[in-house]
């Protein structure tokens, strides 16, 4: 499992034994990490306004420049969706490198694709629901509805993840809120400590652990 330390501009790696090492330094406040099918680690290099892909030696290649970003999702075909909260929009970068705005008019933050790649779920910082979009064959998004929710307050939704059963988990000020595949609330896991609960992800040999970044610590359940 990899996580970012944004103020220190570092990326860390946690191995299966729990040992923590530095993966990359001087990352220009890289935020959000997600692996692609190609084994590269994609991230939002916020300080340089870039979308990048890190290789296993910690070096990176630039995929897009001059963009505001906060979170990203890598599709199976290599396409990338990333959120742009300052400009109230979601972008798509095609496998060929073409950029286009595919959703706008709300303040997006976190995002995640369902296992089949057919639905993109995006948080809306100013709404108690999550938006679910249908992914079209050309990467465009359609039918962006307030499908998942309502969430327990206080909300302020941030990072997202999904499990193999299709349930959606979202980090919020109330804790980790879980929704079943129909969009109904299924339960809430309390925050492990006071402070902002920013992101969550399943990891481990069998994806049996739920990792969470909360305040100044990383937790595993």
């Amino acid at each position: 499992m990899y996580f970012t330390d944004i103020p220190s501009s570092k990326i860390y790696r946690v191995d299966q034994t729990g040992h923590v090492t530095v993966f990359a330094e001087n990352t220009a406040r890289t935020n959000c990490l997600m692996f692609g099918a190609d084994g590269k680690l994609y991230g939002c290099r916020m300080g340089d306004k870039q979308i990048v892909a890190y290789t296993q030696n910690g070096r990176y290649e630039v995929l897009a420049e001059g963009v505001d970003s906060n979170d990203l999702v890598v599709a199976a075909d290599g396409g990338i969706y990333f959120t742009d909260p300052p400009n109230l929009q979601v972008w798509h970068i095609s496998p060929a490198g073409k950029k286009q705005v595919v959703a706008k008019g709300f303040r997006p933050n976190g995002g995640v694709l369902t296992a089949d790649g057919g639905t993109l779920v995006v948080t809306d910082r100013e709404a108690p629901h999550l938006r679910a979009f249908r992914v079209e064959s050309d990467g465009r998004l359609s039918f962006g509805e307030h499908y998942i929710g309502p969430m327990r307050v206080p909300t302020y939704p941030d990072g997202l993840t999904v499990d193999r059963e299709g349930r959606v988990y979202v980090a919020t000020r109330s804790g980790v809120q879980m929704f079943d595949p129909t969009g109904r609330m299924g339960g809430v896991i309390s925050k492990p400590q006071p402070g902002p609960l920013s992101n969550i992800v399943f990891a481990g040999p069998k994806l049996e652990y739920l990792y969470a970044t909360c305040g100044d610590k990383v937790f595993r359940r």
Side-chain angles (χ1 to χ4, degrees):
M1 194 279 291
Y2 292 70
F3 68 92
T4 63
D5 179 348
I6 298 174
S8 299
S9 285
K10 293 181 180 180
I11 298 174
Y12 290 89
R13 177 180 182 271
V14 184
D15 68 17
Q16 295 182 13
T17 68
H19 182 61
V20 181
T21 55
V22 175
F23 171 72
E25 299 185 271
N26 302 316
T27 63
R29 299 174 59 241
T30 292
N31 184 28
C32 177
L33 299 172
M34 179 168 287
F35 277 102
D38 55 7
K40 295 178 181 179
L41 185 64
Y42 293 78
C44 299
R45 198 171 167 93
M46 297 190 302
D48 290 338
K49 291 183 176 292
Q50 296 173 333
I51 303 297
V52 303
Y54 289 92
T55 57
Q56 284 300 314
N57 59 11
R59 297 179 181 178
Y60 67 91
E61 58 181 308
V62 178
L63 306 176
E65 295 186 277
V67 296
D68 291 306
S69 61
N70 180 76
D71 202 351
L72 59 75
V73 178
V74 185
D77 65 358
I80 299 170
Y81 293 93
F82 68 90
T83 60
D84 177 359
N87 298 297
L88 308 180
Q89 55 195 10
V90 179
W91 292 80
H92 176 252
I93 305 174
S94 72
K98 178 185 177 181
K99 292 188 303 182
Q100 64 175 330
V101 174
V102 290
K104 58 185 178 179
F106 67 103
R107 191 173 298 279
N109 190 349
V112 70
L113 281 167
T114 53
D116 62 3
T119 302
L120 177 69
V121 180
V122 182
T123 64
D124 182 344
R125 280 295 181 96
E126 298 175 353
H129 294 77
L130 305 179
R131 292 176 182 257
F133 295 88
R134 188 173 76 183
V135 177
E136 305 295 347
S137 59
D138 61 356
R140 292 181 302 109
L141 301 178
S142 59
F143 304 107
E145 302 295 335
H146 279 158
Y147 176 66
I148 299 175
M151 291 182 282
R152 178 181 294 182
V153 294
T155 53
Y156 204 69
D158 203 334
L160 296 165
T161 193
V162 294
D163 66 15
R164 60 173 59 91
E165 304 299 331
R167 292 176 287 237
V168 176
Y169 299 74
V170 54
T172 75
R173 288 185 176 177
S174 294
V176 179
Q177 302 194 38
M178 184 272 286
F179 299 88
D180 69 20
T182 70
R184 297 178 300 180
M185 166 69 76
V188 182
I189 301 173
S190 298
K191 293 192 297 183
Q193 70 173 13
L197 183 64
S198 55
N199 221 324
I200 47 179
V201 69
F202 286 99
K206 299 179 181 179
L207 301 180
E208 71 271 42
Y209 295 116
L210 178 64
Y211 285 86
T213 51
C214 185
D216 61 347
K217 294 182 177 64
V218 179
F219 293 86
R220 188 178 78 177
R221 180 185 178 91

